[in-house]
Amino acid sequence: MTRKLKKAALILALAMLCVLAASCMDSGDDEQLAGDKDLDWQGAASAENTAEDDADTTVDAADDESAAAETTEDGYIASTGRIVKTDKSYFFVFESDNSFASMSLRSDDTDFDDLATGDLVKIGTDGYLMESYPMQMNVYSVELLERGSADDIDESVISEIESCGHDVIE
């Protein structure tokens, strides 16, 4: 009798594992879910959205006319925006919608040393954004378009970056 109970328990456990595995599999839905943050077409979190936002949003680059990717001379995806220099890193604020991402320099030919908060730049990226908060991205080239100041950046962006534990250097 004990052997039959063990066999039944084993079959039941295997059935539960099959159900669990099936529920974890991809549903085949091709939409990108943005989660609890509204994302721009590049995937960066908007400064106007906080962790308290709980509306799910889908992102579809095909619906955005500005989604046509411009490239840099070296073949990277180009984006234009403003720099926010902090005590810990540099942030890129997308010109299109004030979303922002922390930048990681990935080229020996480029540096951020001459950049200041508010400078308008064109960056070259590989297009990947790390899903963290704040978002992070790799930067391979930086072209200074014009000098700026902190006054050129929306105050809500500065506040959001500071709320992440960064002190903005103006």
Side-chain angles (χ1 to χ4, degrees):
M1 187 85 174
T2 327
R3 188 171 181 190
K4 285 185 178 184
L5 285 176
K6 286 182 181 179
K7 189 175 181 180
L10 180 61
I11 291 172
L12 181 62
L14 287 174
M16 290 174 60
L17 282 174
C18 288
V19 169
L20 180 62
S23 68
C24 292
M25 295 183 78
D26 186 9
S27 66
D29 190 1
D30 290 336
E31 291 182 353
Q32 176 186 357
L33 295 179
D36 63 355
K37 297 251 183 264
D38 288 338
L39 303 182
D40 70 353
W41 69 270
Q42 296 152 317
S46 172
E48 297 173 5
N49 301 308
T50 63
E52 290 80 30
D53 293 339
D54 55 6
D56 284 344
T57 304
T58 58
V59 178
D60 187 358
D63 292 340
D64 187 350
E65 292 178 12
S66 66
E70 178 186 345
T71 58
T72 61
E73 289 180 10
D74 48 3
Y76 291 106
I77 297 171
S79 292
T80 303
R82 300 257 175 207
I83 295 294
V84 176
K85 182 177 181 179
T86 72
D87 58 333
K88 299 176 186 172
S89 65
Y90 288 82
F91 286 85
F92 180 79
V93 181
F94 292 93
E95 190 174 51
S96 59
D97 65 358
N98 278 342
S99 59
F100 60 90
S102 176
M103 299 188 301
S104 297
L105 185 60
R106 297 292 184 220
S107 171
D108 293 334
D109 300 332
T110 304
D111 63 49
F112 298 146
D113 295 341
D114 294 334
L115 300 177
T117 297
D119 287 351
L120 181 66
V121 296
K122 181 190 290 187
I123 61 167
T125 75
D126 53 16
Y128 294 105
L129 288 166
M130 282 136 269
E131 295 183 18
S132 60
Y133 191 76
M135 299 293 268
Q136 300 173 49
M137 66 181 173
N138 296 322
V139 174
Y140 296 88
S141 64
V142 178
E143 177 186 349
L144 178 64
L145 300 176
E146 71 179 40
R147 290 289 180 189
S149 70
D151 294 335
D152 296 318
I153 299 172
D154 191 290
E155 288 182 31
S156 66
V157 173
I158 300 289
S159 297
E160 188 73 18
I161 290 172
E162 289 176 336
S163 75
C164 295
H166 295 264
D167 292 326
V168 173
I169 300 171
E170 296 186 25

